[in-house]
Amino acid sequence: MDLPPGRSRSTIITLSRQAGVSASTVARALKGDPRISIATRARITALAKDAGYTPNALARTLASGRSGLLGLVLGSRSNPIYAVLLEEIVTQAEARGLRALILHAGTGPIEDRTAEALLHYQVDGCLVTSADMSSRAAAICAANGVPVVMINRVPRLHASTVSCDNTEGGRQIAAHLLAGGHRRAAIIHTGGASSNGIDRDRGFSEVFTAAGGEIVMRFDGRSIYEGGYEAGLQIAAMPADTRPDCVFAVSDIIAMGVMDAVRQQGLRVPLDISVAGFDCIPDAARPVYDITSFDQRIVAMVTRGLDLLVQRIADPGGEDEAVLLHGTLVPRSSTRAVV
């Protein structure tokens, strides 16, 4: 609420003076404490409303030791999956009376100063959707009782985790492409040490090659549209008899780049080449793409992640947990139907 010029913000103390009662009585009345008479509660509530009073979060933190803030570490905005995760985390956190504070966004590991910011802002816990923690950053969180839960990531140090079964997702996509008659695949991975990309690649390769298929090439898509587009141009430039007949991109944003590139070069999807992705982001479901993908069940992932974090906040000495959720293959028109 914007205050009129010259008007100071109302506090428990100023309300107690107006009401002629103690500050503790005001605090209890505003919480609906039945020990305070109904008439007094109504009078104090009316005074607070008229004064535009809002609780002081800092004072509440000092009194309870809890800020109600969750630190949030996000991946790069170039991948829409992080926007989906952000919206879902904020929505679910608010429903629990918690607020998310973005401390890091983008590529690269969680640096020591990010971990120190967790303490500076007195967050109760931290959700990490991307990036790895350095050993020092993990030690800072552990030493200060700041629990960490990684969503859609596999932790290495001091953290619980909730993730999709990425290996199984890769297997199901491979089986789907094999059933469509494909035998020559290109894989466009994320590069680096992303556990998600590695597991998706491994699951796909195991099933595809075991059935007699061949992985004819791999590209580093860098988890961005441009990486997929560059790979798509190279694939489209190949002679038809050596070109892969299908592409598995380990994220939808990469798959979208591939589709735009091969279509621009005159190839038809899926008649000339099938393209599959992973993540089931809303943009990939648009009619212009309609990409076969793997649904990670983001809502369930965030729910379970917040459950774990709230448990760890209440019991800092609890054991770290690893939760693996099953996803669902979503076939669409970017891949050939079963032959």
Side-chain angles (χ1 to χ4, degrees):
M1 170 180 288
D2 293 330
L3 295 173
R7 180 176 172 180
S8 60
R9 186 174 298 276
S10 295
T11 67
I12 290 286
I13 300 299
T14 60
L15 287 175
S16 69
R17 290 170 181 164
Q18 288 179 273
V21 297
S22 68
S24 60
T25 298
V26 172
R28 288 198 296 266
L30 292 176
K31 291 179 181 178
D33 192 324
R35 291 175 294 179
I36 308 301
S37 70
I38 294 176
T40 300
R41 274 185 275 158
R43 183 164 62 88
I44 291 173
T45 300
L47 282 172
K49 183 177 180 180
D50 182 63
Y53 168 78
T54 55
N56 187 311
L58 177 59
R60 183 171 55 198
T61 299
L62 294 173
S64 67
R66 299 277 171 81
S67 66
L69 290 175
L70 302 179
L72 181 58
V73 175
L74 289 170
S76 172
R77 63 184 178 85
S78 63
N79 190 339
I81 188 64
Y82 295 112
V84 175
L85 280 164
L86 173 61
E87 182 176 359
E88 189 60 36
I89 288 169
V90 169
T91 299
Q92 291 199 31
E94 286 182 348
R96 297 170 184 247
L98 302 169
R99 298 290 175 180
L101 177 67
I102 298 176
L103 296 173
H104 176 100
T107 57
I110 300 173
E111 300 172 349
D112 296 348
R113 66 173 180 266
T114 301
E116 290 165 356
L118 297 175
L119 310 180
H120 178 74
Y121 290 104
Q122 297 185 330
V123 299
D124 295 334
C126 184
L127 287 172
V128 178
T129 67
S130 181
D132 296 317
M133 298 185 76
S134 69
S135 57
R136 174 167 162 72
I140 289 171
C141 292
N144 289 275
V146 178
V148 177
V149 172
M150 306 190 86
I151 295 180
N152 195 34
R153 304 290 294 178
V154 176
R156 292 177 172 83
L157 296 164
H158 177 60
S160 293
T161 178
V162 181
S163 66
C164 164
D165 190 337
N166 290 291
T167 303
E168 179 59 25
R171 289 172 181 153
Q172 290 192 32
I173 290 173
H176 172 75
L177 291 173
L178 287 164
H182 300 88
R183 292 298 180 270
R184 293 172 54 79
I187 295 177
I188 309 181
H189 54 79
T190 58
S194 165
S195 58
N196 291 347
I198 291 170
D199 290 345
R200 294 168 190 179
D201 184 330
R202 182 176 66 248
F204 181 92
S205 300
E206 288 174 354
V207 170
F208 201 81
T209 57
E214 180 184 2
I215 310 299
V216 296
M217 58 185 59
R218 282 185 167 85
F219 298 91
D220 180 0
R222 311 191 305 279
S223 290
I224 58 175
Y225 172 93
E226 290 77 11
Y229 186 85
E230 292 163 10
L233 290 179
Q234 294 183 55
I235 291 170
M238 297 175 65
D241 59 344
T242 60
R243 188 171 58 225
D245 57 17
C246 65
V247 174
F248 171 44
V250 299
S251 69
D252 285 342
I253 190 62
I254 296 175
M256 290 162 65
V258 173
M259 285 188 66
D260 283 344
V262 298
R263 283 171 168 173
Q264 185 186 64
Q265 298 305 307
L267 295 183
R268 298 165 299 172
V269 178
L271 296 179
D272 297 319
I273 188 168
S274 288
V275 179
F278 205 109
D279 289 335
C280 260
I281 62 174
D283 285 349
R286 294 179 184 275
V288 68
Y289 292 111
D290 202 35
I291 295 174
T292 291
S293 191
F294 195 78
D295 185 357
Q296 299 192 70
R297 298 177 59 208
I298 292 295
V299 173
M301 197 181 294
V302 171
T303 299
R304 191 69 184 95
L306 284 170
D307 285 344
L308 281 177
L309 191 57
V310 169
Q311 290 170 14
R312 289 292 308 280
I313 291 170
D315 179 17
E319 294 292 325
D320 289 334
E321 297 182 46
V323 178
L324 201 61
L325 299 179
H326 295 293
T328 306
L329 178 69
V330 181
R332 298 194 181 109
S333 66
S334 69
T335 55
R336 292 204 297 265
V338 176
V339 296

